[in-house]
Structures are given as C-alpha cells and as structure tokens.
Amino acid sequence: MSVSPIGSDIEENQGTSDPTEKRKSSAWTRFKKKWARKGIVDVDVDHHRYEMLNCMRDGIREVTLQHPEFNKSEPSADDHTDVFEKAFVSPSGKCFHFTSYASATFVMIRQAIGISDQQYANSLAPLHLPYLEFMSNSKSGADFFLSNDKCLFMKTDKEYYINIFRSFLPDYLHHFQQYPHSLIVKIMGLYSIKIPGQKKVGKIIANYNINFHRATICSGLCFI
C-alpha cells in the first residue's frame, strides 16, 4: 500500500463524469473501507479528543512556522532542555496551555533527515483536515492517532518515559546527524497540552512511512 509523501498537497476533482475519475473514486472508496477494517476512524466533533487535537494543531503550527529562532545549524547545551510555552483560546472559548520541548533540537533532527518545517506542519497540522484515531487494545492505555495523510503516527505517553527520552536527546540528535538514513525510529517533536478540567496530555508523533526521496521508517513524539 502506498502512502502520500509527508506534507504533500491534496487535490480534489469534482463535477466530472470521466470513467477514469469514477474508477479513481471507487478505488478511494475501497481504500477508505480497508482502513476502516484496520480500526482507523476520523476524529470528528463528537470524539472525546477532538478539542485536544485541534488545540495541539494550533500550537504545533505556531511553534513550527512562527518561530524562526528555532532554526539552527549547530545545537547549544540549552537547546536540549529548552521549553516553549504559549496560551491559546480554543473556538469554544477555553484557554489551553501548549508546551513544546527542545524545539530547536527537533528542528535539527528533522533537517538531518530531510524534512522542512513546512512539510512537517502540512502533514502534522493541516488547517482543515481531521486527524484519525487508530483503535488499539494497547495494555499501556495509550491513545494512538494518525495525521490525515497517514504519514505521522501519534501516541500518548507517560511523562516518566518522556523524561527518560529527553535525558539522551543530545546523543539522539548526534546519531541522525551522522547517520540520516538510520532505521532507528525518528522522533520529530515532543509536546504537551493542558486544557482546563482535563489531564495534561503528552503525545508521541511517529512517521512510519515517509517517502520524500526514499521509503523509510520514522517516528515523532508528544505526550498526554
């Protein structure tokens, strides 16, 4: 099964009677049914994580596209422990607090494997496309989500495990700068979000089928 390159544009053809287009439509219908059988469902307005994911989307677009100071070619000691925080107001009027950890370090990781900020934002935080949930019976109790293009895999995780990961982040960055084609899972971002009346959320974002110039296996990280 092929998957669109991360951050690629989505085109829609409407109002055509071309038999070729009908065949494409049928193929798309079969594709959607196949994903449904795999336990992939849209995160719609009735989903209990809908507001959280949309707040996360706003925060990720903010930190990725509006803060060029995080674009560096060489890391500093402070980059690995840096914490970026910002408050947003959701469409429902709730104030939420978004946190991005080691933002500059993760920019350098993405640069090392050939992913631009725009590509990352287009895939992980498109403006009007819904996220998808992967229905899992994981014993950890974690939630699993997909970006709409199915390139990035998101997993909630406990703060304890995230802090372990952060402790070796400098070595992790160095590895991918030396070996950009490494098959080690690639963590491309670490975020948390706090909405009043809800538990703090952290999420792992994993790219499992990126294909810019080649097929590879990657991953990214946030937590609830």
Side-chain angles (χ1 to χ4, degrees):
M1 180 185 66
S2 63
V3 179
S4 300
I6 183 174
S8 61
D9 293 332
I10 298 176
E11 295 182 359
E12 296 184 356
N13 294 305
Q14 299 179 346
T16 177
S17 59
D18 187 336
T20 302
E21 296 303 321
K22 290 183 180 179
R23 289 196 296 272
K24 288 181 180 178
S25 177
S26 297
W28 174 242
T29 300
R30 292 194 299 272
F31 177 77
K32 290 180 69 176
K33 288 181 178 179
K34 183 176 180 180
W35 274 98
R37 289 196 297 270
K38 289 178 177 291
I40 306 294
V41 298
D42 285 358
V43 177
D44 58 21
V45 293
D46 296 321
H47 194 283
H48 72 290
R49 292 297 192 193
Y50 177 81
E51 185 172 44
M52 181 274 293
L53 286 170
N54 279 280
C55 291
M56 185 78 74
R57 182 206 311 269
D58 291 345
I60 290 172
R61 290 189 67 85
E62 165 79 19
V63 73
T64 304
L65 301 177
Q66 303 300 323
H67 290 271
E69 68 271 20
F70 292 136
N71 283 275
K72 298 182 178 181
S73 57
E74 294 294 331
S76 67
D78 292 339
D79 288 337
H80 307 308
T81 57
D82 177 70
V83 175
F84 169 85
E85 297 178 303
K86 184 163 183 178
F88 293 87
V89 178
S90 71
S92 66
K94 291 183 180 179
C95 181
F96 67 94
H97 297 273
F98 172 83
T99 304
S100 174
Y101 301 87
S103 304
T105 299
F106 286 111
V107 168
M108 285 182 274
I109 290 172
R110 297 196 296 268
Q111 289 173 343
I113 62 177
I115 301 174
S116 71
D117 286 347
Q118 190 66 59
Q119 287 173 308
Y120 181 66
N122 285 350
S123 179
L124 183 58
L127 287 174
H128 304 298
L129 297 176
Y131 289 102
L132 308 172
E133 182 181 18
F134 174 69
M135 309 302 292
S136 169
N137 60 355
S138 170
K139 293 182 178 180
S140 69
D143 291 330
F144 298 84
F145 300 97
L146 293 164
S147 58
N148 190 271
D149 61 7
K150 301 182 181 70
C151 285
L152 289 168
F153 192 85
M154 299 175 280
K155 174 183 178 292
T156 63
D157 212 338
K158 296 179 179 179
E159 192 166 0
Y160 170 78
Y161 297 113
I162 289 172
N163 287 336
I164 291 176
F165 171 72
R166 292 176 66 192
S167 71
F168 59 80
L169 192 53
D171 292 333
Y172 187 80
L173 167 63
H174 179 71
H175 173 81
F176 287 112
Q177 288 178 326
Q178 295 295 312
Y179 309 103
H181 304 297
S182 172
L183 294 180
I184 291 177
V185 72
K186 298 173 178 67
I187 306 301
M188 293 186 288
L190 175 59
Y191 314 100
S192 69
I193 191 165
K194 182 69 175 69
I195 300 175
Q198 299 183 22
K199 293 171 60 178
K200 186 177 183 180
V201 174
K203 206 179 274 300
I204 291 180
I205 304 164
N207 181 323
Y208 66 98
N209 194 12
I210 282 183
N211 180 19
F212 294 115
H213 309 297
R214 63 191 183 282
T216 186
I217 297 177
C218 309
S219 174
L221 169 60
C222 330
F223 69 89
I224 289 189

